[in-house]
Amino acid sequence: MPFSKRDNNFDWDKLRIFHAVAEAGSFTHAGHDLNLSQSAVSRQISALESELHVTLFHRHARGLILTEQGEMLYRTAHDVFTKLATARTRLTDSRDKPTGDLRISTTVGLGTIWLTPRLQEFIELYPQIRVQLILTDEELDLGMREADVAIRLRRPTQPDLIQRKLFTVHNHAYASPDYVQSNGLPKTAEELDNHKILAFGPTPTFLSDLGWLLRAGRAEGETPRESSFMINSIYGLRRAVESGLGIGVLPDYIVGEDSPLIRVSLGADAPGIDTYFVYPEEMRNSKRIAVFRDFVVSKARQWKF
């Protein structure tokens, strides 16, 4: 990419705006994030393209697409801003008290049912930490600072992540009293062929064990059962089981202790899922991550599901 003699005076504000536009995919959305008008954002991008003598975006009616030169600049800018965010975090954590932003990523079910009710205590203990909880069943890239820490339902394989096992999520098949009254209970996995099976999906690979009912009692290589209903929300799956739509595999913590749902015993249980607290190696000395890690570990010791 050709640069002018003004490289040493590179306009970092324009680079910040370019990075926001590349992330958002449009001038309008980037302007909203930056608190600038669409026209102001567009002018800054045009000025940057003029300074660099390259076109950074293809303009289309449906949005913006990075050119080859734009992709090159975006990768560099993203790396720069990621390192700046890390430096800011380390500077913030050099103070006596834990403070700053803490972005936590975990699954929708675990985050909604187990973690969220416990966060009030953490926030009261550390009021200077601003918590953002990101609930998604996809694993965010901690190395690229998409989140600071994660509670994951599998053991991480990346070598640059520090991990701490928290507990095992146990899963069982459940049905509602109404469903059992109308259809009876299967006694073996083979009898599931005569029942309506509810499934969680489409699922990431690490949550595939929640589809256990579709394979239970089938020989290796044999075609799995078909589900009569599929939903990509574990909480929604619980509601479907409660309404009598069929039998579904649910984590015990989603069902709770006082639920009227009936556990279906098939002679074998669905596989459990080990859960881990994870954060990047470069954040090892972060005070706010350390206090949150210790808090989560203390709560994990009370796990009874």
Side-chain angles (χ1 to χ4, degrees), residues 71-145:
E71 284 279 3
M72 186 186 307
L73 183 60
Y74 170 72
R75 287 194 296 270
T76 301
H78 190 72
D79 184 55
V80 167
F81 287 117
T82 296
K83 290 179 178 178
L84 286 173
T86 300
R88 180 182 177 184
T89 295
R90 289 175 176 172
L91 290 171
T92 298
D93 282 333
S94 67
R95 303 170 187 171
D96 292 335
K97 293 183 179 180
T99 185
D101 297 327
L102 178 64
R103 294 168 300 162
I104 309 161
S105 171
T106 191
T107 61
V108 177
L110 195 63
T112 302
I113 303 298
W114 183 75
L115 182 58
T116 297
R118 291 162 173 79
L119 286 178
Q120 179 182 355
E121 180 182 347
F122 177 78
I123 292 171
E124 289 177 350
L125 287 170
Y126 303 100
Q128 292 180 305
I129 295 179
R130 296 178 296 276
V131 174
Q132 178 186 359
L133 184 57
I134 306 169
L135 300 183
T136 173
D137 290 332
E138 300 297 325
E139 292 187 349
L140 300 185
D141 190 336
L142 301 185
M144 294 301 293
R145 297 302 307 281

Side-chain angles (χ1 to χ4, degrees), residues 192-247:
L192 289 170
D193 294 346
N194 302 317
H195 287 266
K196 295 178 181 177
I197 306 300
L198 312 182
F200 175 70
T203 61
T205 303
F206 66 92
L207 291 178
S208 61
D209 285 337
L210 293 178
W212 176 72
L213 286 180
L214 303 178
R215 304 184 302 272
R218 295 290 174 98
E220 185 176 352
E222 190 176 354
T223 303
R225 298 179 183 85
E226 291 188 2
S227 61
S228 62
F229 176 80
M230 180 175 287
I231 186 170
N232 66 344
S233 162
I234 198 67
Y235 183 75
L237 179 60
R238 190 190 84 174
R239 298 291 290 174
V241 173
E242 289 172 341
S243 69
L245 281 179
I247 301 173

Side-chain angles (χ1 to χ4, degrees), residues 175-186:
S176 71
D178 288 343
Y179 179 87
V180 173
Q181 184 176 3
S182 300
N183 301 277
L185 275 176

Side-chain angles (χ1 to χ4, degrees), residues 246-289:
I247 301 173
V249 169
L250 295 169
D252 292 347
Y253 76 87
I254 289 281
V255 176
E257 297 180 311
D258 302 321
S259 172
L261 292 180
I262 298 170
R263 183 181 292 185
V264 181
S265 178
L266 300 170
D269 290 332
I273 302 175
D274 290 336
T275 304
Y276 293 83
F277 183 82
V278 184
Y279 56 99
E281 170 71 32
E282 65 184 33
M283 304 296 286
R284 176 185 292 275
N285 297 320
S286 167
K287 289 185 174 66
R288 74 188 193 288
I289 288 180

